[in-house]
Amino acid sequence: MRVAILSPIAWRTPPRGYGPWEQVASDIAEGLVERGHEVTLFATADSLTRGHLEAVAPRGYEEDPALDAKVHEALHIARVMERADRFDIIHNHFDFLPLAWSRLIRTPILTTIHGFSSPKILKVYREYDERVAYVSISDADRHPLLTYLATVHHGIRTDRFTFRPEHGGYALALGRIHPDKGVHQAMDAARMAGIPLVIAGIVQDADYFRDEVEPRLEGGHVRFIGPVGPSERDRLLGGALVLLHLVSFAEPFGLVMVEAMACGTPVIATRRGSVPEIVVDGETGFIVDDVAGAARALGRVGQLDRTRCRRLVIDRFSVDRMVNGYVEAYERVTGRKETPPARPRDLVE
Amino acid sequence: MRVAILSPIAWRTPPRGYGPWEQVASDIAEGLVERGHEVTLFATADSLTRGHLEAVAPRGYEEDPALDAKVHEALHIARVMERADRFDIIHNHFDFLPLAWSRLIRTPILTTIHGFSSPKILKVYREYDERVAYVSISDADRHPLLTYLATVHHGIRTDRFTFRPEHGGYALALGRIHPDKGVHQAMDAARMAGIPLVIAGIVQDADYFRDEVEPRLEGGHVRFIGPVGPSERDRLLGGALVLLHLVSFAEPFGLVMVEAMACGTPVIATRRGSVPEIVVDGETGFIVDDVAGAARALGRVGQLDRTRCRRLVIDRFSVDRMVNGYVEAYERVTGRKETPPARPRDLVE
């Protein structure tokens, strides 16, 4: 199939560091190339792909303040739309803006809705609900007023995460330091359970850090180590007894939970958003309702089978599985099967 | 001709107060309706027109903080582009963004470049230089790397400005209080010439007001009266001996100079941007190079003929003349003359 992947241009595709939408777009593009599809990646000019790269923006506008985001967004989207006839499908990872071109081209468009940055953008998704096929990244993130073709959970490259059968006895909270991520709840739960806690991540909300996190650092049971690079992240995830993911918002898809499980580390997470689609309660972690529940679960989490966690990620949350999900979705949208159909019976001599 | 006027949606069209692009779009739309053209105005839903109104955004996003500008810009532009086949020409007043749709439709597009908010937006204008016809609002505002179809100066409704043969003996500085507008230079020039000065306008740059304007208010020769409504503005303009417009930047088109002259008031302005296209040096005002030159000109400005100022505006800067300029431009772009061509000689019996 001739597939155009429209990536965001905030960051390089794949991103050097942060850039979750660009990462997913890259993984899909490369997975499609591996399967023999003809892939054109529309991304920044410094992007990397084994497919064909089409670029207007030299770099990500978040990486180069000299670039005007609005100017480059317009030129970037126009570039794919003006070439639409060359593709069997356009797979949009660029949020709602490209939809405004969709009625002027004939090529089918599939849009992965990576999240609703604001309820106001729903207006655009509703306007193009009949024209564009929407894919949700979790059932929990579906909006009741939109029509969806499928849910395709994000997948990770499991070979980039090291399975560790033995843990180091600490709980881990990993992510942005922000009230959404429930960092201080993790601190309270670990203290109640008497288990040491490691916190890693950038401080996104300095007031929150000062008011809720810093005062709880006293006593020595908690260590805050700031942001970590990929290899330290892998060691931290794999060495943990458990990932404490006590999010206080409906997270569309909690990738860090999948990454922890890929290392064999179970997850204790709040019953919000995509959590029940990612954690199998009592098997790969525990789903809890509050800090007290998290503290109780911390006492039992050592009994869970770490190989089971890894296994579940390979089965359900690999890049391969994600790419298969999207190929199926493309086939439904285009009505085109890539594998040749079986030879009709009545033509066999 | 079937004309689509694509207005911005920051403000209502025509604007209730500020909104210069919306004002021009409105004046053109209504002028075309008067001439019998079939006009569709794409603007906010509360806009006023005697043509046909097409709207997505209920109100201007600057007038209603609940509206998301990016969402409504996308839907607004898509609305005209999806209906492009219904028009002989689309006249874009919406800056660069609509150009990104232009290769996906067949209808000719004419874009009035109301100004370059940043040098970065040039990239989009260059990309679509061959596809879209550009109109500059002054020769001075032309960018050397772009191809222009014409310059069409803005026009005003001269009947909204009262001609006053007798002036009140004061100089006037009218506009935003901002270093660009040369307010403190006007104060210095008036002081040097011994002529009282009235300053009216909103304080856009509070630091500038405190540091440069306020200290010069002492002594009683200068009166600062803040922002003024349309009727007071008309009285102030008409009662002035002269408008002091000592701008320190290349203003694309200085509408206030035209408004002053419409009331009979000559203009002393710096030799920057569009000034030499608007003021006839020695006839409707004086073009100067510095504060000292402005002070000298203040001594001579009383000799100028106020009826000559009014006359020049009616001839060169009326809405009628602006609309004629655009109709000519449309005809060049579409190759379509509205007046039936003379019957070919060899077919005459």
Side-chain angles (χ1 to χ4, degrees):
Chain A
M1 216 179 296
R2 298 169 305 164
V3 183
I5 300 285
L6 181 60
S7 194
I9 54 168
W11 310 97
R12 189 187 74 173
T13 300
R16 292 178 172 87
Y18 184 78
W21 299 15
E22 287 85 351
Q23 183 64 59
V24 168
S26 173
D27 287 338
I28 294 169
E30 304 315 300
L32 291 169
V33 170
E34 269 170 34
R35 282 164 177 72
H37 294 286
E38 206 178 296
V39 175
T40 304
L41 175 68
F42 290 79
T44 59
D46 59 351
S47 292
L48 307 171
T49 180
R50 281 169 299 163
H52 175 63
L53 178 68
E54 278 268 11
V56 185
R59 286 167 297 283
Y61 57 76
E62 293 286 2
E63 298 182 71
D64 182 352
L67 299 175
D68 184 294
K70 196 170 176 180
V71 161
H72 280 288
E73 282 180 359
L75 294 173
H76 178 64
I77 297 171
R79 178 66 65 101
V80 67
M81 296 301 170
E82 291 169 4
R83 284 154 183 72
D85 284 348
R86 305 181 191 174
F87 306 107
D88 298 311
I89 191 161
I90 295 172
H91 183 172
N92 168 35
H93 292 273
F94 201 107
D95 212 347
F96 67 85
L97 195 53
L99 308 188
W101 278 255
S102 63
R103 292 205 187 105
L104 301 173
I105 63 167
R106 281 180 298 249
T107 309
I109 303 182
L110 181 146
T111 291
T112 297
I113 303 182
H114 284 265
F116 295 95
S117 57
S118 146
K120 295 174 186 175
I121 72 174
L122 186 69
K123 202 171 162 69
V124 186
Y125 285 114
R126 290 196 69 183
E127 172 71 21
Y128 294 98
D129 189 76
E130 288 186 20
R131 167 63 182 95
V132 177
Y134 298 139
V135 169
S136 45
I137 63 172
S138 66
D139 291 339
D141 199 46
R142 290 195 170 196
H143 194 285
L145 293 176
L146 299 182
T147 313
Y148 291 87
L149 177 79
T151 289
V152 180
H153 287 135
H154 289 339
I156 62 169
R157 303 203 176 189
T158 50
D159 57 346
R160 294 197 178 169
F161 295 87
T162 315
F163 173 66
R164 294 182 207 265
E166 305 295 334
H167 63 78
Y170 61 89
L172 176 67
L174 178 62
R176 300 176 284 121
I177 311 301
H178 186 279
D180 278 354
K181 295 292 194 174
V183 184
H184 77 275
Q185 291 92 329
M187 297 172 91
D188 290 344
R191 187 177 42 73
M192 286 165 73
I195 289 177
L197 175 69
V198 175
I199 302 174
I202 58 160
V203 176
Q204 194 183 44
D205 185 329
D207 289 349
Y208 174 66
F209 184 76
R210 191 194 56 224
D211 297 343
E212 300 291 344
V213 178
E214 245 175 7
R216 288 177 169 84
L217 286 175
E218 286 159 25
H221 249 58
V222 182
R223 215 153 51 91
F224 171 65
I225 59 171
V228 292
S231 66
E232 194 178 355
R233 186 185 168 88
D234 181 55
R235 268 197 306 277
L236 269 177
L237 281 168
L241 162 68
V242 62
L243 179 80
L244 270 175
H245 195 67
L246 304 182
V247 285
S248 63
F249 79 120
E251 197 170 37
F253 190 87
L255 207 57
V256 69
M257 295 189 280
V258 174
E259 293 170 345
M261 293 190 296
C263 299
T265 301
V267 176
I268 295 174
T270 31
R271 196 183 310 281
R272 294 296 301 273
S274 57
V275 165
E277 296 172 54
I278 297 176
V279 176
V280 183
D281 193 29
E283 271 195 61
T284 63
F286 294 104
I287 300 176
V288 300
D289 293 306
D290 50 24
V291 170
R296 282 194 301 276
L298 277 168
R300 292 181 291 153
V301 76
Q303 305 158 12
L304 298 179
D305 179 2
R306 291 178 70 89
T307 57
R308 178 81 192 93
C309 293
R310 170 86 178 172
R311 193 68 248 158
L312 182 118
V313 171
I314 289 169
D315 288 351
R316 299 197 194 164
F317 300 110
S318 68
V319 162
D320 259 6
R321 198 268 324 137
M322 171 173 68
V323 175
N324 289 344
Y326 278 112
V327 170
E328 264 175 51
Y330 298 165
E331 286 168 352
R332 283 177 60 196
V333 171
T334 61
R336 175 196 298 246
K337 266 276 190 193
E338 276 308 285
T339 47
R343 208 170 172 194
R345 195 180 272 267
D346 57 357
L347 286 181
V348 176
E349 288 168 271
Chain B
M1 216 178 299
R2 298 170 306 165
V3 183
I5 301 285
L6 180 60
S7 195
I9 53 168
W11 309 99
R12 189 188 75 173
T13 299
R16 293 180 171 85
Y18 184 77
W21 299 15
E22 286 85 350
Q23 184 64 58
V24 169
S26 173
D27 286 339
I28 294 169
E30 303 316 300
L32 291 169
V33 170
E34 269 171 35
R35 282 162 177 72
H37 295 284
E38 205 178 296
V39 175
T40 304
L41 175 67
F42 290 79
T44 59
D46 59 353
S47 293
L48 308 172
T49 180
R50 279 168 302 161
H52 177 63
L53 179 67
E54 278 267 11
V56 185
R59 286 167 299 283
Y61 56 75
E62 294 285 4
E63 298 180 74
D64 182 352
L67 299 175
D68 183 294
K70 196 170 176 179
V71 161
H72 280 287
E73 282 180 0
L75 293 173
H76 179 64
I77 297 170
R79 178 67 65 100
V80 68
M81 297 300 170
E82 291 169 3
R83 286 155 182 72
D85 285 349
R86 305 181 189 173
F87 306 108
D88 298 311
I89 190 161
I90 296 172
H91 184 172
N92 168 35
H93 292 272
F94 200 105
D95 211 350
F96 67 86
L97 195 52
L99 308 188
W101 278 255
S102 62
R103 292 205 188 105
L104 300 173
I105 64 167
R106 281 180 299 248
T107 309
I109 303 182
L110 182 145
T111 292
T112 297
I113 303 183
H114 284 265
F116 294 96
S117 57
S118 146
K120 295 173 186 175
I121 71 173
L122 186 68
K123 203 171 163 65
V124 185
Y125 285 114
R126 291 196 67 183
E127 172 72 21
Y128 294 98
D129 189 75
E130 289 186 20
R131 168 63 182 95
V132 177
Y134 298 140
V135 169
S136 45
I137 62 171
S138 66
D139 292 339
D141 199 46
R142 288 195 172 198
H143 194 286
L145 293 176
L146 299 182
T147 312
Y148 290 88
L149 178 80
T151 289
V152 180
H153 288 136
H154 289 339
I156 62 169
R157 304 204 175 187
T158 49
D159 57 346
R160 293 196 180 168
F161 294 87
T162 316
F163 173 66
R164 291 181 209 265
E166 304 294 334
H167 63 78
Y170 60 90
L172 177 66
L174 179 60
R176 300 175 284 122
I177 312 300
H178 186 280
D180 277 354
K181 295 291 192 175
V183 184
H184 77 274
Q185 290 92 329
M187 297 171 91
D188 290 344
R191 189 180 39 75
M192 285 165 74
I195 289 177
L197 176 69
V198 175
I199 302 174
I202 58 160
V203 176
Q204 193 184 44
D205 185 330
D207 289 350
Y208 173 67
F209 184 76
R210 192 194 56 224
D211 297 343
E212 300 290 346
V213 177
E214 244 176 7
R216 288 177 169 85
L217 286 176
E218 288 159 24
H221 249 58
V222 182
R223 216 153 51 92
F224 172 65
I225 60 171
V228 292
S231 66
E232 195 178 354
R233 185 185 169 87
D234 181 54
R235 268 198 305 279
L236 268 177
L237 281 168
L241 163 68
V242 61
L243 179 79
L244 269 176
H245 195 65
L246 304 182
V247 286
S248 62
F249 79 120
E251 198 171 37
F253 190 87
L255 207 57
V256 71
M257 295 187 280
V258 174
E259 293 170 344
M261 294 189 296
C263 299
T265 301
V267 176
I268 296 175
T270 30
R271 198 183 309 281
R272 294 297 300 272
S274 57
V275 164
E277 297 172 53
I278 297 176
V279 176
V280 182
D281 193 29
E283 271 195 61
T284 62
F286 294 103
I287 301 176
V288 299
D289 293 306
D290 50 25
V291 170
R296 281 194 301 276
L298 277 169
R300 293 181 290 156
V301 76
Q303 303 157 12
L304 298 178
D305 179 4
R306 292 178 69 90
T307 57
R308 176 84 190 93
C309 294
R310 170 87 179 173
R311 192 70 250 158
L312 183 117
V313 171
I314 290 169
D315 289 351
R316 300 198 195 164
F317 300 108
S318 68
V319 163
D320 258 6
R321 199 267 324 137
M322 170 174 70
V323 175
N324 289 343
Y326 278 113
V327 170
E328 265 175 49
Y330 299 166
E331 286 168 352
R332 284 177 57 196
V333 170
T334 61
R336 176 195 295 247
K337 266 275 189 191
E338 276 307 287
T339 48
R343 209 174 172 189
R345 191 179 275 266
D346 55 357
L347 285 181
V348 175
E349 288 168 275

